[in-house]
Amino acid sequence: MTQLICQKCSAVYGADDPRWRCSCGHVLDLHFEPAFPLDKIKQRKPSMWRYREAIPIDADAGIVSFDEGFTPLIEVNIAGKAVLVKQEQLFSTGSFKDRGASVLISQVKALGIREVAADSSGNAGSAIAAYCAAAGISCHIFVPAYTSPGKLAQIQLYGATLNKIPGTREDTAHAVLAAAETIYYASHYWNPFFFHGTKTFAYETCEQLGWKAPDTVILAAGNGSLLLGSYIGFNELLQAGIIEKIPRLIGIQPENCAPLVKGFKENSIEIPGIQKKETIAEGIAVATPIRGKQILDAVKQTGGDMMAVSESEIKQSLKEMCRKGHYIEPTSAAVIAGVNRYILNHRQQKSTANEVIVSVFTGHGLKAGGKMPDILNK
Ligand SMILES: Cc1ncc(COP(=O)(O)O)c(C=O)c1O
Ligand SMILES: [Zn+2]
C-alpha cells in the first residue's frame, strides 16, 4: 500500500489524500514496495514505464505518458576519460523533468484533480505543462521573469497560464505558495510522486550497465529532483538484491549559488544562508532548497561529495560539449564542468582509472536559445 509519510512528525496519509505537504507544514515522502520482475521488464518497450511494478500509480488507465525514457547512455570523453552520459536532453519537452511529470500528473489525474499550479526555473514548468496538456488538466506555471524566452513560449504553447515573477527564484517559490492555497500544487520538489518518476534514471542506468551499479554518479543539485530520485532508485534496486552497492553521488552547483556545497563542507545541520549571485546555470540557481538536508544526507550516505563550479568553467564545458556535437543548455553544462573538475582532482588516484562514472545531459541547448548567442560571443 502506498502511503505519504511526513519527514518531521511521521504523520501518515493515504496516497489517495490530495495533499502535497503535511498538515504540520513539512515535506512528505512516499512509502511504497516496488517490485522488479526482470524477465517481464526486458520484454517491454524501452520507456521508463517498463518498470511498471516499481512506479506507485495504481491503475494503468490513467497513466499520462509519451513513452518517455530509456534515454541512451553514451560515452563522452571528458578530461581524457570516457564518461557514460545519459542523454536526458532528448525527452519530449527537452529535459529530464518529463520523468517526474509523467508520474506526478498521472497521480494528479488519478486523484481527479482538474487544475494545478507549479513553480519552476523553466524546465519543470514546461514538463508539467506538457503532461497537463496531454491529460486535459488546466495548469498555472510560475517562473522567474529572467527565465529563457524559449522556455516561456514553450510553457504557454502547451496551453498553461504563465505567471512571470520579478526577482529571484525564491520570489517565484513564494508566489506559487499563495496560489497553492486554493489550487493543487504539482510541485517537482515538494510532491514526492515526482521523485518516483526521476528515480527511473537509476533503474535505466543499472539496466544499461547489465544490472550493475556504476561507481560514481555526478548530477546537478538545485532542488535535487534528479539527485534524490536517483538515490531512491539505487536504494530500491539494492533492497531488491539487484545491485550490490549504491554509487557515490556527487552533486554539482554553480559557485554563484551553492548553499548545498557550503552546508556539506561546513557539515551544518541546517542549510546555511548564502549571498546568491547571478549564474548562467538558471536551472540550479536555488538558494533555499526545501529538501536541502535530505539531499546532503543522501550524498553523505553514499560517501559522495558536493562540488561548486565557476561561471567560466560552465561556459568552457558548454563550448567543449557543443564542439563534440552535444547541444546542451548552460545548466546542463554546469554538471559537465563538475565532471571535468572531479576527474582532474582525482587523476592522481589510481582507483579512478577503472572507475565507472555516469553523468547526464539534463537539458537541451535549444531551450536556452535566447541566451546562447551571448555565450557564443563571449
Ligand atoms: C537543465 C536542468 N538541469 C538540472 C536541473 C536541476 O534539477 P533540480 O533542481 O531538481 O536539482 C534543472 C532544474 O530545473 C534543469 O532545468
Ligand atoms: Zn508533519
Side-chain angles (χ1 to χ4, degrees):
M1 192 175 56
T2 308
Q3 291 176 318
L4 300 162
I5 301 181
C6 175
Q7 271 184 21
K8 174 104 176 171
C9 75
S10 304
V12 178
Y13 306 93
D16 55 352
D17 189 336
R19 64 170 59 241
W20 53 271
R21 70 174 161 191
C22 182
S23 54
C24 83
H26 280 83
V27 284
L28 297 166
D29 286 328
L30 262 179
H31 180 80
F32 164 72
E33 294 289 331
F36 299 94
L38 297 189
D39 288 343
K40 281 191 194 159
I41 289 170
K42 264 183 242 158
Q43 286 162 26
R44 293 178 183 152
K45 60 185 167 189
S47 106
M48 60 176 250
W49 286 94
R50 71 205 256 115
Y51 312 104
R52 179 67 188 94
E53 295 82 357
I55 300 180
I57 298 295
D58 287 341
D60 284 350
I63 290 174
V64 189
S65 170
F66 302 128
D67 280 355
E68 55 289 297
F70 226 81
T71 53
L73 183 67
I74 64 166
E75 268 188 24
V76 178
N77 187 307
I78 304 173
K81 177 160 174 80
V83 175
L84 294 164
V85 180
K86 210 142 156 63
Q87 307 287 292
E88 302 279 292
Q89 82 281 26
L90 300 181
F91 277 98
S92 176
T93 77
S95 89
F96 74 92
K97 303 278 187 187
D98 290 19
R99 293 188 187 276
S102 181
V103 174
L104 175 55
I105 300 306
S106 295
Q107 174 65 5
V108 166
K109 193 173 166 195
L111 290 170
I113 292 165
R114 306 298 312 146
E115 187 177 23
V116 302
D119 59 322
S120 163
S121 62
N123 283 334
S126 301
I128 299 280
Y131 284 80
C132 279
I137 292 169
S138 91
C139 175
H140 307 270
I141 301 292
F142 291 69
V143 293
Y146 62 72
T147 302
S148 291
K151 294 177 188 174
L152 302 181
Q154 187 181 11
I155 290 166
Q156 292 173 92
L157 282 161
Y158 288 135
T161 314
L162 182 72
N163 300 274
K164 279 203 285 182
I165 309 298
T168 63
R169 175 70 183 83
E170 287 64 46
D171 294 321
T172 298
H174 192 69
V176 78
L177 286 178
E181 297 281 330
T182 51
I183 306 172
Y184 185 79
Y185 183 23
S187 172
H188 65 285
Y189 51 98
W190 276 96
N191 200 305
F193 279 91
F194 199 90
F195 298 85
H196 285 257
T198 51
K199 73 179 181 182
T200 56
F201 175 91
Y203 301 166
E204 289 176 20
T205 299
C206 292
E207 185 173 356
Q208 287 165 320
L209 294 173
W211 288 114
K212 283 201 172 65
D215 298 309
T216 305
V217 179
I218 305 180
L219 301 169
N223 275 308
S225 68
L226 188 57
L227 194 146
L228 284 175
S230 298
Y231 181 67
I232 294 169
F234 287 123
N235 261 302
E236 288 174 341
L237 293 176
L238 184 73
Q239 297 299 322
I242 293 170
I243 57 172
E244 286 172 1
K245 62 170 184 193
I246 307 254
R248 269 188 299 276
L249 295 183
I250 315 283
I252 307 298
Q253 300 204 290
E255 275 174 11
N256 283 358
C257 185
L260 296 172
V261 177
K262 189 162 189 261
F264 189 84
K265 304 289 175 210
E266 293 172 357
N267 207 9
S268 44
I269 295 170
E270 297 297 329
I271 303 305
I274 53 147
Q275 203 60 40
K276 176 175 172 174
K277 294 193 213 120
E278 209 181 308
T279 170
I280 56 167
E282 63 182 11
I284 41 178
V286 182
T288 53
I290 295 292
R291 292 182 185 262
K293 185 164 179 321
Q294 193 179 2
I295 296 170
L296 294 193
D297 286 348
V299 169
K300 280 180 203 158
Q301 281 285 325
T302 68
D305 199 0
M306 292 293 309
M307 292 168 52
V309 290
S310 69
E311 295 297 295
S312 66
E313 284 175 283
I314 299 172
K315 279 180 208 154
Q316 194 182 331
S317 284
L318 177 64
K319 288 181 177 170
E320 274 174 24
M321 287 304 107
C322 290
R323 293 304 294 261
K324 291 178 191 292
H326 308 295
Y327 197 56
I328 54 173
E329 67 169 288
T331 305
S332 190
V335 188
I336 303 307
V339 177
N340 192 68
R341 174 88 77 87
Y342 175 88
I343 292 169
L344 296 179
N345 287 353
H346 292 79
R347 178 143 288 163
Q348 306 312 330
Q349 295 167 20
K350 285 203 183 84
S351 60
T352 54
N354 299 322
E355 183 178 353
V356 178
I357 302 177
V358 166
S359 190
V360 53
F361 291 150
T362 51
H364 205 290
L366 293 172
K367 302 206 79 178
K371 294 191 174 169
M372 292 305 225
D374 291 347
I375 293 169
L376 177 66
N377 297 325
K378 265 184 206 154

mmCIF file of all heavy atoms in Angstrom, residues 95-97 120-124 151 188 220-227 282-284 286 295 329 331-332 335 362-364, ligand 1:
data_model
loop_
_atom_site.group_PDB
_atom_site.id
_atom_site.type_symbol
_atom_site.label_atom_id
_atom_site.label_comp_id
_atom_site.label_asym_id
_atom_site.label_seq_id
_atom_site.Cartn_x
_atom_site.Cartn_y
_atom_site.Cartn_z
ATOM 1 N N SER A 95 14.002 18.100 -21.360
ATOM 2 C CA SER A 95 14.783 17.898 -20.130
ATOM 3 C C SER A 95 14.290 16.658 -19.383
ATOM 4 O O SER A 95 13.207 16.147 -19.652
ATOM 5 C CB SER A 95 14.698 19.118 -19.201
ATOM 6 O OG SER A 95 13.591 19.008 -18.316
ATOM 7 N N PHE A 96 15.109 16.228 -18.418
ATOM 8 C CA PHE A 96 14.791 15.022 -17.632
ATOM 9 C C PHE A 96 13.527 15.168 -16.805
ATOM 10 O O PHE A 96 13.016 14.178 -16.260
ATOM 11 C CB PHE A 96 15.958 14.693 -16.680
ATOM 12 C CG PHE A 96 16.058 15.627 -15.500
ATOM 13 C CD1 PHE A 96 15.419 15.321 -14.312
ATOM 14 C CD2 PHE A 96 16.749 16.818 -15.586
ATOM 15 C CE1 PHE A 96 15.477 16.184 -13.225
ATOM 16 C CE2 PHE A 96 16.812 17.698 -14.506
ATOM 17 C CZ PHE A 96 16.180 17.377 -13.329
ATOM 18 N N LYS A 97 13.007 16.383 -16.686
ATOM 19 C CA LYS A 97 11.849 16.611 -15.820
ATOM 20 C C LYS A 97 10.620 15.825 -16.284
ATOM 21 O O LYS A 97 9.684 15.630 -15.516
ATOM 22 C CB LYS A 97 11.509 18.098 -15.749
ATOM 23 C CG LYS A 97 12.646 18.982 -15.272
ATOM 24 C CD LYS A 97 12.770 19.009 -13.774
ATOM 25 C CE LYS A 97 13.820 20.042 -13.357
ATOM 26 N NZ LYS A 97 14.129 20.045 -11.941
ATOM 27 N N SER A 120 8.831 26.981 -11.196
ATOM 28 C CA SER A 120 9.904 26.321 -11.911
ATOM 29 C C SER A 120 10.903 27.355 -12.387
ATOM 30 O O SER A 120 10.580 28.533 -12.519
ATOM 31 C CB SER A 120 9.267 25.622 -13.118
ATOM 32 O OG SER A 120 10.202 25.265 -14.097
ATOM 33 N N SER A 121 12.126 26.879 -12.666
ATOM 34 C CA SER A 121 13.074 27.755 -13.348
ATOM 35 C C SER A 121 12.842 27.667 -14.860
ATOM 36 O O SER A 121 13.541 28.279 -15.641
ATOM 37 C CB SER A 121 14.500 27.340 -13.013
ATOM 38 O OG SER A 121 14.720 26.024 -13.477
ATOM 39 N N GLY A 122 11.864 26.869 -15.274
ATOM 40 C CA GLY A 122 11.512 26.779 -16.688
ATOM 41 C C GLY A 122 11.289 25.357 -17.168
ATOM 42 O O GLY A 122 10.291 25.062 -17.819
ATOM 43 N N ASN A 123 12.195 24.462 -16.820
ATOM 44 C CA ASN A 123 12.100 23.108 -17.366
ATOM 45 C C ASN A 123 11.031 22.252 -16.691
ATOM 46 O O ASN A 123 10.267 21.563 -17.377
ATOM 47 C CB ASN A 123 13.454 22.408 -17.283
ATOM 48 C CG ASN A 123 14.389 22.903 -18.367
ATOM 49 O OD1 ASN A 123 13.933 23.365 -19.407
ATOM 50 N ND2 ASN A 123 15.688 22.823 -18.127
ATOM 51 N N ALA A 124 10.959 22.289 -15.374
ATOM 52 C CA ALA A 124 9.900 21.520 -14.712
ATOM 53 C C ALA A 124 8.546 22.084 -15.127
ATOM 54 O O ALA A 124 7.593 21.334 -15.375
ATOM 55 C CB ALA A 124 10.063 21.567 -13.193
ATOM 56 N N LYS A 151 11.769 28.856 -23.085
ATOM 57 C CA LYS A 151 11.005 28.071 -22.102
ATOM 58 C C LYS A 151 9.649 28.738 -21.814
ATOM 59 O O LYS A 151 8.640 28.056 -21.633
ATOM 60 C CB LYS A 151 11.803 27.938 -20.801
ATOM 61 C CG LYS A 151 13.082 27.122 -20.952
ATOM 62 C CD LYS A 151 13.882 27.066 -19.658
ATOM 63 C CE LYS A 151 15.236 26.415 -19.896
ATOM 64 N NZ LYS A 151 16.125 26.455 -18.726
ATOM 65 N N HIS A 188 7.590 20.009 -8.253
ATOM 66 C CA HIS A 188 8.594 18.988 -8.540
ATOM 67 C C HIS A 188 9.568 18.806 -7.375
ATOM 68 O O HIS A 188 10.463 17.980 -7.458
ATOM 69 C CB HIS A 188 9.353 19.302 -9.833
ATOM 70 C CG HIS A 188 10.181 20.547 -9.780
ATOM 71 N ND1 HIS A 188 9.643 21.804 -9.836
ATOM 72 C CD2 HIS A 188 11.519 20.729 -9.681
ATOM 73 C CE1 HIS A 188 10.613 22.712 -9.780
ATOM 74 N NE2 HIS A 188 11.755 22.072 -9.680
ATOM 75 N N ALA A 220 23.430 17.312 -11.274
ATOM 76 C CA ALA A 220 23.141 18.673 -10.818
ATOM 77 C C ALA A 220 22.374 18.600 -9.503
ATOM 78 O O ALA A 220 21.643 17.645 -9.255
ATOM 79 C CB ALA A 220 22.278 19.385 -11.855
ATOM 80 N N ALA A 221 22.532 19.641 -8.691
ATOM 81 C CA ALA A 221 21.726 19.720 -7.466
ATOM 82 C C ALA A 221 21.215 21.139 -7.294
ATOM 83 O O ALA A 221 21.967 22.039 -6.933
ATOM 84 C CB ALA A 221 22.554 19.301 -6.266
ATOM 85 N N GLY A 222 19.945 21.322 -7.620
ATOM 86 C CA GLY A 222 19.279 22.593 -7.350
ATOM 87 C C GLY A 222 18.288 22.291 -6.234
ATOM 88 O O GLY A 222 18.592 22.397 -5.046
ATOM 89 N N ASN A 223 17.088 21.843 -6.630
ATOM 90 C CA ASN A 223 16.142 21.321 -5.647
ATOM 91 C C ASN A 223 16.317 19.822 -5.454
ATOM 92 O O ASN A 223 15.636 19.206 -4.634
ATOM 93 C CB ASN A 223 14.708 21.615 -6.084
ATOM 94 C CG ASN A 223 14.278 22.997 -5.645
ATOM 95 O OD1 ASN A 223 14.407 23.357 -4.470
ATOM 96 N ND2 ASN A 223 13.785 23.794 -6.583
ATOM 97 N N GLY A 224 17.169 19.211 -6.243
ATOM 98 C CA GLY A 224 17.523 17.801 -6.015
ATOM 99 C C GLY A 224 16.569 16.790 -6.604
ATOM 100 O O GLY A 224 16.562 15.626 -6.187
ATOM 101 N N SER A 225 15.756 17.173 -7.603
ATOM 102 C CA SER A 225 14.763 16.198 -8.075
ATOM 103 C C SER A 225 15.431 14.991 -8.742
ATOM 104 O O SER A 225 14.967 13.859 -8.572
ATOM 105 C CB SER A 225 13.719 16.842 -8.988
ATOM 106 O OG SER A 225 14.280 17.261 -10.206
ATOM 107 N N LEU A 226 16.534 15.201 -9.443
ATOM 108 C CA LEU A 226 17.206 14.051 -10.056
ATOM 109 C C LEU A 226 18.111 13.338 -9.047
ATOM 110 O O LEU A 226 18.167 12.107 -8.998
ATOM 111 C CB LEU A 226 18.020 14.501 -11.281
ATOM 112 C CG LEU A 226 18.619 13.384 -12.126
ATOM 113 C CD1 LEU A 226 17.543 12.419 -12.626
ATOM 114 C CD2 LEU A 226 19.398 13.939 -13.315
ATOM 115 N N LEU A 227 18.778 14.122 -8.216
ATOM 116 C CA LEU A 227 19.701 13.517 -7.246
ATOM 117 C C LEU A 227 18.938 12.661 -6.226
ATOM 118 O O LEU A 227 19.275 11.497 -5.995
ATOM 119 C CB LEU A 227 20.508 14.614 -6.554
ATOM 120 C CG LEU A 227 21.720 14.111 -5.778
ATOM 121 C CD1 LEU A 227 22.862 15.131 -5.847
ATOM 122 C CD2 LEU A 227 21.405 13.803 -4.329
ATOM 123 N N GLU A 282 20.744 28.695 -14.902
ATOM 124 C CA GLU A 282 19.487 29.177 -14.310
ATOM 125 C C GLU A 282 18.678 28.063 -13.633
ATOM 126 O O GLU A 282 17.948 28.304 -12.688
ATOM 127 C CB GLU A 282 18.629 29.870 -15.375
ATOM 128 C CG GLU A 282 18.177 28.944 -16.509
ATOM 129 C CD GLU A 282 17.358 29.652 -17.597
ATOM 130 O OE1 GLU A 282 17.299 30.884 -17.613
ATOM 131 O OE2 GLU A 282 16.780 28.934 -18.436
ATOM 132 N N GLY A 283 18.839 26.832 -14.114
ATOM 133 C CA GLY A 283 18.045 25.713 -13.577
ATOM 134 C C GLY A 283 18.444 25.286 -12.177
ATOM 135 O O GLY A 283 17.684 24.594 -11.495
ATOM 136 N N ILE A 284 19.656 25.676 -11.764
ATOM 137 C CA ILE A 284 20.081 25.246 -10.419
ATOM 138 C C ILE A 284 20.406 26.444 -9.519
ATOM 139 O O ILE A 284 21.145 26.313 -8.551
ATOM 140 C CB ILE A 284 21.257 24.232 -10.457
ATOM 141 C CG1 ILE A 284 22.293 24.611 -11.518
ATOM 142 C CG2 ILE A 284 20.749 22.830 -10.698
ATOM 143 C CD1 ILE A 284 23.497 23.672 -11.550
ATOM 144 N N VAL A 286 19.153 27.815 -6.978
ATOM 145 C CA VAL A 286 18.201 27.637 -5.874
ATOM 146 C C VAL A 286 18.933 27.930 -4.560
ATOM 147 O O VAL A 286 19.796 27.162 -4.147
ATOM 148 C CB VAL A 286 17.637 26.194 -5.874
ATOM 149 C CG1 VAL A 286 16.612 26.011 -4.755
ATOM 150 C CG2 VAL A 286 17.017 25.856 -7.225
ATOM 151 N N ILE A 295 18.965 16.093 0.750
ATOM 152 C CA ILE A 295 19.958 15.932 -0.322
ATOM 153 C C ILE A 295 21.336 15.650 0.290
ATOM 154 O O ILE A 295 22.032 14.704 -0.112
ATOM 155 C CB ILE A 295 20.017 17.205 -1.217
ATOM 156 C CG1 ILE A 295 18.683 17.412 -1.936
ATOM 157 C CG2 ILE A 295 21.167 17.106 -2.223
ATOM 158 C CD1 ILE A 295 18.546 18.756 -2.651
ATOM 159 N N GLU A 329 22.068 22.841 -22.656
ATOM 160 C CA GLU A 329 21.876 24.179 -22.104
ATOM 161 C C GLU A 329 22.897 24.457 -20.997
ATOM 162 O O GLU A 329 23.507 23.517 -20.467
ATOM 163 C CB GLU A 329 20.434 24.373 -21.631
ATOM 164 C CG GLU A 329 19.994 23.546 -20.458
ATOM 165 C CD GLU A 329 18.649 24.031 -19.917
ATOM 166 O OE1 GLU A 329 18.638 25.106 -19.297
ATOM 167 O OE2 GLU A 329 17.634 23.333 -20.116
ATOM 168 N N THR A 331 22.786 25.131 -17.834
ATOM 169 C CA THR A 331 22.627 24.397 -16.568
ATOM 170 C C THR A 331 23.197 22.996 -16.706
ATOM 171 O O THR A 331 23.851 22.468 -15.795
ATOM 172 C CB THR A 331 21.131 24.308 -16.182
ATOM 173 O OG1 THR A 331 20.592 25.619 -16.152
ATOM 174 C CG2 THR A 331 20.944 23.644 -14.832
ATOM 175 N N SER A 332 22.957 22.401 -17.833
ATOM 176 C CA SER A 332 23.442 21.059 -18.110
ATOM 177 C C SER A 332 24.973 21.050 -18.184
ATOM 178 O O SER A 332 25.636 20.113 -17.710
ATOM 179 C CB SER A 332 22.818 20.632 -19.441
ATOM 180 O OG SER A 332 23.028 19.309 -19.700
ATOM 181 N N VAL A 335 26.962 20.659 -14.897
ATOM 182 C CA VAL A 335 27.215 19.285 -14.422
ATOM 183 C C VAL A 335 28.495 18.755 -15.072
ATOM 184 O O VAL A 335 29.339 18.138 -14.409
ATOM 185 C CB VAL A 335 26.042 18.341 -14.769
ATOM 186 C CG1 VAL A 335 26.238 16.993 -14.109
ATOM 187 C CG2 VAL A 335 24.725 18.952 -14.371
ATOM 188 N N THR A 362 21.285 17.191 -18.818
ATOM 189 C CA THR A 362 19.932 17.329 -18.245
ATOM 190 C C THR A 362 18.949 18.086 -19.131
ATOM 191 O O THR A 362 17.748 17.869 -19.048
ATOM 192 C CB THR A 362 19.983 18.052 -16.883
ATOM 193 O OG1 THR A 362 20.743 19.257 -17.036
ATOM 194 C CG2 THR A 362 20.574 17.182 -15.804
ATOM 195 N N GLY A 363 19.468 19.023 -19.965
ATOM 196 C CA GLY A 363 18.534 19.839 -20.741
ATOM 197 C C GLY A 363 19.101 20.208 -22.103
ATOM 198 O O GLY A 363 20.320 20.378 -22.277
ATOM 199 N N HIS A 364 18.232 20.342 -23.080
ATOM 200 C CA HIS A 364 18.636 20.608 -24.457
ATOM 201 C C HIS A 364 19.036 22.074 -24.668
ATOM 202 O O HIS A 364 18.384 22.979 -24.131
ATOM 203 C CB HIS A 364 17.467 20.266 -25.391
ATOM 204 C CG HIS A 364 17.917 19.926 -26.771
ATOM 205 N ND1 HIS A 364 18.435 20.859 -27.623
ATOM 206 C CD2 HIS A 364 17.953 18.743 -27.422
ATOM 207 C CE1 HIS A 364 18.771 20.266 -28.756
ATOM 208 N NE2 HIS A 364 18.492 18.973 -28.659
HETATM 209 C C1 LIG B 1 18.536 21.664 -17.233
HETATM 210 C C2 LIG B 1 18.430 21.401 -15.765
HETATM 211 N N1 LIG B 1 19.365 20.656 -15.184
HETATM 212 C C3 LIG B 1 19.321 20.382 -13.860
HETATM 213 C C4 LIG B 1 18.318 20.864 -13.065
HETATM 214 C C5 LIG B 1 18.365 20.559 -11.609
HETATM 215 O O1 LIG B 1 17.275 19.902 -11.096
HETATM 216 P P1 LIG B 1 16.901 20.020 -9.578
HETATM 217 O O2 LIG B 1 16.628 21.491 -9.292
HETATM 218 O O3 LIG B 1 15.699 19.233 -9.385
HETATM 219 O O4 LIG B 1 18.069 19.560 -8.766
HETATM 220 C C6 LIG B 1 17.319 21.651 -13.611
HETATM 221 C C7 LIG B 1 16.209 22.166 -12.808
HETATM 222 O O5 LIG B 1 15.379 22.915 -13.252
HETATM 223 C C8 LIG B 1 17.369 21.926 -15.006
HETATM 224 O O6 LIG B 1 16.446 22.689 -15.606
#
